[in-house]
Amino acid sequence: MLGAARAAPGFLPDDEGRALHAAALGAPLGPWLEIGSYCGKSACYLGEAARRRGTVLFSVDHHRGSEENQPGEQYHDGALVDGSGRVDTLPGLRRTLAAAGLEDTVLPVVGPSRTVAAHWGTPLGLLFIDGGHSAAAAHGDYEAWLPHLAHQGLLLIHDVFPDPADGGRPPFEVFCRALTEGAATEVSAQGSLRVLRRL
Ligand code: SAH
Ligand code: MG
């Protein structure tokens, strides 16, 4: 699993991946869900924990990339485009899950996160928010998915940068919001990863 995670293109340092895995091992059951599959790096860490715990991870992504992944932008990867020149990270995700032996545990859901949330019905034991970083995307994901997180479920948020010099605001705002709204309490932190528990 580690080899597959490290080989996958993506945006999650090793120490944060290990922290994700450790946190997930202590998450309540009920299926787990992540927003933002990209090529499956975080899905390896969460998926390995899900398999050990006997649950599954739904991994939601429209696979067309975030703003910063588009051609000409800072985090565009020319290897991840389809025949029409559009970003397509689904083949990369499938390769990673096959290499990690996690195809029965990590279940890709292809579509816009908030549309999936609007039709979702199963309480989640863990929710990892790592999708779009615009204010609309980050706050929208939080608002759409938090109601699906079970009491005591783990809320994981990536790319939380208290210092604006380190990165964009919206994931940090969502983290602050979860605390000030009394929706969750902080459990631990590793790099830009925050682990919270739903109240
Ligand atoms: N967790 C990944 C990184 C995710 S990058 C890793 O470990 O490497 C963010 C992803 O969110 C991108 O793949 C992008 O396509 C996806 N995304 C952005 N906005 C989205 C939306 N509204 N619905 C679904 N996916 C979205
Ligand atoms: Mg991220």
Side-chain angles (χ1 to χ4, degrees):
M1 178 287 288
L2 256 185
R6 286 177 178 150
F11 308 100
L12 190 78
D14 218 67
D15 58 336
E16 296 178 8
R18 288 170 179 278
L20 262 189
H21 182 257
L25 287 176
L29 295 182
W32 301 346
L33 185 140
E34 73 168 357
I35 306 159
S37 328
Y38 200 65
C39 294
K41 202 181 264 294
S42 52
C44 286
Y45 295 97
L46 291 173
E48 206 282 333
R51 187 177 51 190
R52 273 203 217 191
R53 296 290 309 284
T55 190
V56 295
L57 174 75
F58 290 97
S59 184
V60 180
D61 201 309
H62 51 40
H63 287 286
R64 295 304 187 184
S66 299
E67 292 90 333
E68 63 271 24
N69 306 129
Q70 300 310 312
E73 300 298 326
Q74 185 180 2
Y75 294 101
H76 179 65
D77 181 343
L80 302 175
V81 292
D82 66 14
S84 68
R86 297 176 74 197
V87 172
D88 184 4
T89 51
L90 182 56
L93 174 64
R94 301 204 69 174
R95 267 194 300 276
T96 301
L97 296 180
L102 288 170
E103 289 179 295
D104 293 335
T105 303
V106 179
L107 312 175
V109 179
V110 181
S113 159
R114 279 158 280 162
T115 307
V116 178
H119 296 276
W120 194 262
T122 308
L124 302 169
L126 177 153
L127 173 64
F128 178 44
I129 301 181
D130 193 21
H133 288 157
S134 69
H139 287 276
D141 284 340
Y142 172 78
E143 287 163 14
W145 282 104
L146 188 73
H148 296 298
L149 183 59
H151 176 65
Q152 297 289 310
L154 285 194
L155 173 63
L156 306 162
I157 307 173
H158 197 232
D159 303 302
V160 171
F161 298 112
D163 182 346
D166 296 329
R169 298 278 78 198
F172 175 68
E173 290 165 10
V174 165
F175 164 69
C176 294
R177 205 178 148 181
L179 295 178
T180 57
E181 289 178 355
T185 183
E186 187 170 358
V187 176
S188 61
Q190 176 71 49
S192 75
L193 175 70
R194 297 293 180 278
V195 181
L196 301 90
R197 192 173 288 275
R198 179 93 161 99
L199 295 171

